Amino acid sequence: MKEMNTTDQGRLMLVDDDPNLILLVKDYLEFRGYQVMTAENGREALELLEEQIPDLIICDVMMPEMDGYTLVQHIRENSATEWVPVLFLSAKGQSQDRVKGLNTGADVYIVKPFEPEELVAQVESSLKQASRLIKHQNSGVSSGPTIKVRRNVELTPTELKVVQLVAKGMANRDIAQIMEVSQRTIESHVSNMLGKTGLHNRTELARWAIESKKA
């Protein structure tokens, strides 16, 4: 996890297909001292994340190309970005919509239209929470016991290559490109390794690979 930049308010990513909202929210956040980069949809956001990881992401739910739900799933699958707070913006304000957004992996769900001050307050609160987590992890406090897996786990050469790339924080899509196979094939390898090890997710798989010196 990276250190937060203390020379400014923070670096944010704003993802929305509405150019008017992008303009208004970006101007307001920059006026409050934040650096803001923008993307029109989830796919464009993922491309930006390969170059620079922000301190927080503000994301619309309904977008072309890739919606907010899918974007957050990709963010949470990648160990390099899984810690980044995500604020959902949505015109859907029903309870089931909020629950779906939070269950998908968003940290905050804000219903449109919203007051700019409300957005800033949620941004500041989320950044403070992320900062506390960073300080806790950097303080030398153990993040948990050593990962335990089933005995005699044997990985194929291909699985070993995949888990090494997972441990580097790479997404399935990027691993597929490197290994010149389909993303579904990589997902199948990851699923098989989770079954072999008895682990629950990619994060645990990456940690196990590092702790067992497979990566």
Side-chain angles (χ1 to χ4, degrees), residues 55-70:
D55 299 307
L56 180 143
I57 296 171
I58 302 169
C59 178
D60 188 18
V61 173
M62 305 308 295
M63 297 179 291
E65 298 285 335
M66 179 186 292
D67 64 17
Y69 297 128
T70 306

Side-chain angles (χ1 to χ4, degrees), residues 1-213:
M1 187 179 293
K2 70 182 185 63
E3 294 276 350
M4 284 186 64
N5 189 346
T6 57
T7 61
D8 52 43
Q9 289 282 69
R11 198 165 35 241
L12 312 180
M13 176 184 287
L14 178 59
V15 190
D16 200 298
D17 62 327
D18 183 345
N20 292 323
L21 185 142
I22 284 279
L23 180 62
L24 292 173
V25 174
K26 183 174 185 289
D27 283 350
Y28 194 86
L29 291 171
E30 288 181 339
F31 176 75
R32 296 298 295 263
Y34 294 98
Q35 298 179 25
V36 183
M37 53 182 174
T38 64
E40 294 182 357
N41 56 62
R43 194 170 303 281
E44 185 177 323
L46 286 180
E47 293 175 357
L48 288 175
L49 286 172
E50 293 178 357
E51 302 174 3
Q52 188 176 35
I53 298 176
D55 299 307
L56 180 143
I57 296 171
I58 302 169
C59 178
D60 188 18
V61 173
M62 305 308 295
M63 297 179 291
E65 298 285 335
M66 179 186 292
D67 64 17
Y69 297 128
T70 306
L71 171 60
V72 171
Q73 288 173 350
H74 281 288
I75 291 170
R76 297 301 179 232
E77 284 180 353
N78 188 339
S79 60
T81 58
E82 64 175 355
W83 61 273
V84 179
V86 177
L87 277 64
F88 263 164
L89 303 178
S90 177
K92 295 183 176 182
Q94 298 295 321
S95 296
Q96 60 266 30
D97 298 316
R98 294 173 181 268
V99 169
K100 180 178 180 181
L102 296 173
N103 284 343
T104 301
D107 298 278
V108 177
Y109 192 102
I110 301 177
V111 179
K112 299 178 182 178
F114 53 85
E115 292 294 331
E117 284 297 330
E118 177 191 2
L119 177 62
V120 170
Q122 292 286 10
V123 167
E124 291 177 349
S125 175
S126 296
L127 287 175
K128 288 176 182 177
Q129 184 174 356
S131 179
R132 287 194 296 269
L133 177 61
I134 292 171
K135 289 178 181 178
H136 173 74
Q137 293 192 349
N138 288 345
S139 68
V141 177
S142 175
S143 60
T146 302
I147 289 288
K148 294 182 179 180
V149 301
R150 294 170 180 158
R151 292 184 177 181
N152 303 320
V153 174
E154 294 186 6
L155 302 182
T156 67
T158 301
E159 288 173 343
L160 185 60
K161 177 65 174 177
V162 171
V163 81
Q164 289 171 345
L165 295 174
V166 168
K168 291 181 179 179
M170 301 188 68
N172 289 343
R173 180 189 64 175
D174 301 321
I175 297 174
Q177 291 177 347
I178 290 175
M179 300 187 66
E180 299 182 342
V181 297
S182 70
Q183 182 172 327
R184 187 173 295 277
T185 298
I186 299 302
E187 291 170 352
S188 178
H189 285 309
V190 171
S191 178
N192 288 341
M193 285 188 285
L194 291 176
K196 287 181 177 181
T197 58
L199 299 174
H200 300 93
N201 51 51
R202 285 169 52 94
T203 302
E204 289 186 351
L205 192 63
R207 185 176 163 195
W208 167 70
I210 293 170
E211 291 183 351
S212 61
K213 303 188 184 305

